[in-house]
């Protein structure tokens, strides 16, 4: 039942369309980091995550924790594709009373397992889920998506150290290495030097991939799924804003919406016909 | 209309001639508006990455060496560094000036994770710390400039969205620690801060049709509280309303209640967020949802007046 690379690419393309539509409708939100993460998230949900859209609270489910919770449009798009929420629900993004809150929120949206919005919190929360799995003899695996700017938070490294101390082989990180944060490129804001070496030094198993090459994404997620004796991190090299030319590698589209003209360009580039 | 965060950004530029002034950022300079200073004075701007705790103590170290540090992030993320502020800044009384932008539910569609409704309360509990929450860009600019002369730390909340300008031509009235009577009335005094000052003016206008004359005060300094002015209002109006885009616990309403109950018991109604979290919505929708917009202030005023003996 697992999807081929071509099918995964098509799934991610559909999600990209929804991401841009959500941000355009709301005239607010975070397209850049949603477009960079989406190939990874789409493949994870389609082929790896053990979850049940019709019973989102199933106790033994794998957990996906979007720690960089501002990139919520990416998660809402895949939740709609999987059937956790409806396509209609996507229209509630940033709208009063909507299930699609500005930042993913477990109180509001089925299929969301963490209330995010403050960076640097998801990995510690994931540790708690991982330890719970161990205590309950559950097979569950915990996947945490982090941003590269986000790992500048000290709490990430507290969690990284603790996860190895507790030998949490069921804890897995995907790092969206898109090289841009809020104000500017990471290189300007806070240089991070050799990120793989840092995680290795904390005792983690590390693999690097191109986060937009579906075959590499699948290889990378295989690595996470099959590394069960050690906490593992997949460092995915990505392009912020991937798929929409003027957003690509552009810090201005971290948290900005396209105007009418830009929206039309995005739809055309993503192969979507809008009437 | 202008945003208070723009007043902060302007003040940093105005202060730049003082070479002791340094600016610290945690990857939100575009939002808090310290970016203008960064562009012109990169050598005196310290990027701390996304690391609020590190930023606060770096600022403390700079202050201990004679610099005047202005550090900013979103109001909500200043709270991440609360204990650094408590033990590393307030306790040694180092003049670090922390600014939290995007305060309150008014910040809008980012949702509850970004809507700080407790910042004024927590920073107010720290000895030595001055707490400000100005209502327009003019007063934010002037108050921020006054901070540079202060020998103690401070916390200033600014807002994301634009609000009406109150102080055009009234600049000389702005002073840390002194509330300002924006509108004079006789039956009730509405003491407000931040975005709620303009809401209170609207409420005062609505009250006229009920035959009620309301004073509106901009209490931009939550601490030290202008007790003299509150006493005068308690005596002259005999009923008081507080209005803030903040939890009703511990903020401006809490401070005024503490003062009144110990010194001059007076009917008081507190308008604020009723101890709940917000959600995604437009700024005006949030004020309605939280029941703090002008009609709610007006009905609180009537309740307070009805409680007069
Ligand atoms: C603790 C905290 N500080 C600051 C912010 C404001 N903020 C939101 S997104 C962002 C940049 C995030 O960059 P990154 O982690 O690289 O995410 P991506 O590029 O994938 O969107 C910042 C600083 C926040 N949400 N939480």
């Amino acid at each position: 039942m697992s999807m081929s690379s071509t099918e995964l690419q098509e799934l991610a393309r559909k999600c990209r369309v929804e991401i841009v539509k959500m941000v355009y409708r709301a005239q607010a939100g975070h397209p850049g980091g949603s477009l960079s993460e989406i190939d990874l998230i789409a493949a994870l949900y389609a082929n790896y995550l053990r979850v049940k859209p019709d019973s989102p609270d199933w106790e033994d489910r794998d957990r996906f924790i979007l720690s960089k919770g501002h990139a919520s449009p990416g998660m809402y798009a895949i939740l709609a594709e999987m059937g956790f929420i409806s396509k209609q629900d996507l229209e509630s993004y940033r709208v009063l009373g909507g299930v699609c809150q500005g930042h993913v929120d477990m109180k509001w949206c089925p299929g969301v397992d963490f209330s995010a919005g403050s960076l640097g919190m998801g990995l510690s929360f994931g540790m708690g889920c991982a330890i719970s799995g161990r205590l309950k003899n559950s097979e569950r695996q915990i996947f945490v998506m982090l941003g590269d700017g986000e790992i500048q938070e000290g709490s990430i490294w507290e969690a990284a150290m603790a996860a190895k101390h507790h030998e949490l082989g069921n804890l897995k990180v995907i790092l969206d290495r898109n090289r841009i944060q809020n104000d500017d490129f990471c290189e300007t804001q806070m240089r991070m030097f050799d990120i793989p070496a840092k995680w290795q030094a904390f005792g983690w198993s590390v693999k690097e991939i191109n986060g937009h090459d579906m075959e590499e994404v699948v290889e990378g997620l295989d690595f996470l799924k099959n590394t069960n004796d050690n906490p593992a991190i997949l460092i995915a090299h990505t392009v912020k804003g991937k798929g929409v030319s003027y957003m690509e590698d552009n810090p201005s589209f971290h948290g900005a919406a396209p105007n009418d003209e830009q929206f039309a360009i995005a739809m055309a580039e993503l192969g979507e016909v809008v009437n | 209309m202008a945003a208070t965060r723009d007043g902060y950004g302007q003040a940093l530029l105005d202060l730049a001639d003082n070479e002791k002034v340094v600016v610290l950022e945690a990857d939100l300079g575009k939002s808090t508006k310290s970016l203008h200073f960064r562009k012109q004075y990169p050598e005196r701007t310290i990027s701390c990455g996304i690391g609020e705790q590190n930023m606060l103590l770096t600022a403390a170290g700079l202050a201990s060496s004679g610099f005047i540090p202005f550090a900013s992030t979103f109001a909500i993320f200043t709270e991440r560094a609360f204990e650094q502020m408590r033990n590393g800044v307030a306790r040694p009384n180092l003049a670090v000036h922390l600014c939290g932008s995007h305060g309150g539910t008014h910040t809008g569609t980012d949702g509850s994770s970004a809507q700080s409704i407790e910042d004024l309360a927590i920073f107010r509990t720290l000895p030595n710390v001055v707490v400000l929450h100005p209502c327009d860009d003019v007063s934010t600019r002037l108050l921020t400039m006054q901070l540079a002369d202060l020998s103690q730390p401070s916390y200033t909340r600014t807002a994301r969205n634009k609000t009406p300008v109150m102080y055009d031509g009234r600049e000389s009235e702005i002073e840390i620690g002194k509330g300002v009577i924006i509108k004079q009335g006789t039956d009730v005094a509405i003491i407000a801060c931040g975005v709620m000052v303009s809401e209170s003016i609207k409420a005062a206008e609505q009250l006229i049709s009920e035959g009620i004359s309301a004073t509106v005060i901009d209490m931009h300094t939550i601490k030290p509280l202008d007790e003299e002015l509150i006493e005068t209002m308690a005596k002259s109006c005999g009923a008081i309303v507080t209005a803030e885009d903040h939890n009703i616990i511990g903020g401006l309403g809490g401070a005024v209640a503490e003062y009144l109950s110990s010194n001059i018991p007076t009917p008081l109604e507190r308008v604020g967020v009723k101890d709940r979290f917000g959600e995604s919505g437009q700024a005006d929708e949030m004020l309605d949802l939280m029941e703090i917009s002008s009609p709610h202030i007006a009905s609180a005023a009537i309740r307070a007046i009805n409680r007069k003996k």
Side-chain angles (χ1 to χ4, degrees):
Chain A
M1 274 249 303
S2 122
M3 281 192 184
S4 69
S5 293
T6 324
E7 288 167 326
L8 290 173
Q9 277 161 7
E10 173 57 13
L11 178 64
R13 185 196 66 82
K14 284 199 257 173
C15 290
R16 283 196 161 87
V17 170
E18 292 306 329
I19 289 168
V20 176
K21 284 184 177 173
M22 267 180 265
V23 175
Y24 170 68
R25 271 191 304 258
Q27 280 300 299
H30 299 87
S34 296
L35 292 167
S36 61
E37 75 191 0
I38 196 62
D39 292 314
L40 297 147
I41 299 188
L44 180 70
Y45 269 90
N47 284 3
Y48 295 87
L49 223 49
R50 294 164 44 256
V51 287
K52 300 178 180 171
D54 50 1
S55 67
D57 296 332
W58 170 47
E59 159 104 36
D60 259 348
R61 70 190 181 279
D62 289 343
R63 303 293 198 270
F64 174 66
I65 292 160
L66 184 66
S67 187
K68 40 169 249 180
H70 58 279
S72 54
M75 183 158 182
Y76 295 139
I78 194 69
L79 287 179
E81 285 292 339
M82 303 296 295
F84 282 93
I85 57 176
S86 70
K87 284 274 164 66
Q88 182 110 44
D89 284 331
L90 297 180
E91 292 177 19
S92 77
Y93 174 59
R94 288 181 176 254
V95 173
L96 196 69
V99 295
C100 296
Q101 293 286 300
H103 293 76
V104 288
D105 195 319
M106 65 193 286
K107 286 276 180 211
W108 285 84
C109 187
V112 172
D113 280 326
F114 176 60
S115 292
S118 179
L119 295 169
M121 294 196 174
L123 187 53
S124 303
F125 185 91
M127 259 196 77
C129 298
I131 293 171
S132 304
R134 180 186 279 175
L135 291 174
K136 293 183 167 184
N137 282 322
S138 163
E139 295 278 287
R140 74 166 80 147
Q141 298 193 322
I142 316 300
F143 295 85
V144 181
M145 169 73 76
L146 301 177
D148 50 1
E150 180 180 20
I151 65 168
Q152 293 160 6
E153 281 288 358
S155 54
I156 291 294
W157 301 98
E158 295 178 18
M161 194 183 316
K164 176 62 185 173
H165 176 74
H166 293 286
E167 297 291 354
L168 295 175
N170 54 353
L171 185 61
K172 292 126 203 320
V173 166
I174 302 171
L175 180 70
D176 183 0
R177 179 68 173 124
N178 62 27
R179 298 166 38 257
I180 296 177
Q181 46 196 94
N182 183 71
D183 277 356
D184 210 334
F185 285 87
C186 303
E187 194 61 20
T188 312
Q189 294 302 102
M190 181 58 61
R191 293 178 300 155
M192 289 184 282
F193 300 97
D194 193 341
I195 293 175
K198 286 184 182 179
W199 288 87
Q200 264 150 10
F202 275 71
W204 285 55
S205 301
V206 181
K207 184 176 172 71
E208 289 182 80
I209 56 156
N210 171 347
H212 301 306
D213 176 324
M214 238 357 138
E215 274 159 29
E216 286 195 33
V217 167
V218 166
E219 248 175 67
L221 294 175
D222 279 342
F223 155 79
L224 285 185
K225 178 132 196 114
N226 299 326
T227 307
N228 290 311
D229 53 352
N230 205 35
I233 178 168
L234 181 65
I235 300 176
H237 295 277
T238 58
V239 175
K240 202 153 174 171
K242 177 73 177 179
V244 179
S245 55
Y246 57 87
M247 291 190 187
E248 285 191 4
D249 232 15
N250 180 359
S252 305
F253 277 97
H254 165 75
N259 60 26
D260 294 350
E261 194 187 325
Q262 289 168 329
F263 176 69
I265 296 172
M267 288 302 107
E269 289 179 356
L270 293 171
E272 183 74 359
V273 189
V274 212
N275 341 312
Chain B
M1 299 279 277
T4 51
R5 58 183 171 136
D6 288 314
Y8 176 77
Q10 184 57 48
L12 296 182
L13 287 181
D14 295 339
L15 286 168
D17 280 348
N18 182 344
E19 296 204 333
K20 288 186 189 158
V21 169
V22 289
V23 165
L24 294 95
E25 301 186 325
D27 196 31
L28 283 172
K30 273 203 276 196
S31 309
T32 70
K33 297 299 172 191
S34 61
L35 86 160
H36 306 302
F37 186 98
R38 183 214 309 157
K39 280 190 184 142
Q40 289 193 36
Y41 307 94
E43 70 294 342
R44 274 194 278 152
T45 307
I46 298 129
S47 168
C48 300
I50 309 176
E52 298 79 9
Q53 302 176 62
N54 188 46
M55 176 171 76
L56 251 274
L57 292 173
T58 304
L62 283 158
S64 78
S65 309
F67 284 98
I68 307 174
F70 284 82
S72 66
T73 177
F74 283 1
I76 194 76
F77 306 128
T78 66
E79 297 175 21
R80 176 73 145 257
F82 178 70
E83 199 239 336
Q84 276 80 2
M85 185 73 168
R86 193 268 184 198
N87 268 327
V89 173
R91 198 164 53 101
N93 197 19
L94 293 164
V96 167
H97 304 297
L98 177 61
C99 173
S101 74
H102 294 56
T105 61
H106 195 256
T107 206
T109 67
D110 271 348
S112 61
S113 70
Q115 297 165 348
S116 170
I117 50 165
E118 57 285 312
D119 53 334
L120 301 175
I122 63 173
F123 289 113
R124 188 170 79 80
T125 61
L126 296 180
N128 297 328
V129 177
V130 167
V131 178
L132 306 177
H133 183 22
C135 70
D136 74 351
D137 66 321
V138 176
S139 56
T140 306
R141 177 176 168 207
L142 292 170
L143 289 165
T144 304
M145 290 175 69
Q146 290 174 22
L147 288 175
D149 299 321
L150 215 63
S151 55
Q152 62 196 106
S154 68
Y155 172 75
T156 302
R157 182 211 268 196
T158 60
R160 173 184 190 275
N161 298 310
K162 293 183 172 157
T163 44
V165 179
M166 295 283 157
Y167 284 102
D168 212 4
R170 297 183 64 175
E171 288 84 351
S172 61
E173 296 173 57
I174 299 163
E175 189 188 333
I176 293 174
K178 293 268 173 261
V180 179
I181 299 173
I182 302 282
K183 186 184 169 305
Q184 187 91 51
T186 50
D187 302 326
V188 59
I190 305 170
I191 302 177
C193 58
V195 301
M196 298 298 282
V197 173
S198 59
E199 286 299 313
S200 300
I201 298 279
K202 278 192 245 166
E205 280 156 13
Q206 291 157 17
L207 286 166
I208 293 173
S209 61
E210 312 265 338
I212 293 170
S213 149
T215 291
V216 176
I217 289 175
D218 171 21
M219 197 59 93
H220 52 66
T221 307
I222 318 295
K223 185 186 176 182
L225 194 63
D226 189 346
E227 299 179 343
E228 221 178 286
L229 181 60
I230 298 173
E231 186 189 338
T232 310
M233 287 303 131
K235 285 180 178 154
S236 60
C237 296
I240 292 192
V241 171
T242 56
E244 61 198 314
D245 181 8
H246 185 278
N247 201 333
I248 44 162
I249 300 175
L252 175 65
V256 171
E258 286 160 19
Y259 172 74
L260 289 177
S261 59
S262 306
N263 298 282
I264 171 168
T266 309
L268 167 71
E269 292 288 328
R270 290 168 300 142
V271 175
V273 176
K274 298 194 176 72
D275 200 21
R276 57 162 291 191
F277 289 110
E279 62 181 88
S280 290
Q282 301 298 331
D284 50 346
E285 291 176 331
M286 289 313 300
L287 299 191
D288 284 335
L289 184 74
M290 294 295 128
E291 302 175 46
I292 58 178
S293 52
S294 58
H296 299 280
I297 302 172
S299 44
I302 294 168
R303 285 199 306 275
I305 290 168
N306 288 341
R307 285 171 52 201
K308 287 194 208 181
K309 293 247 164 63

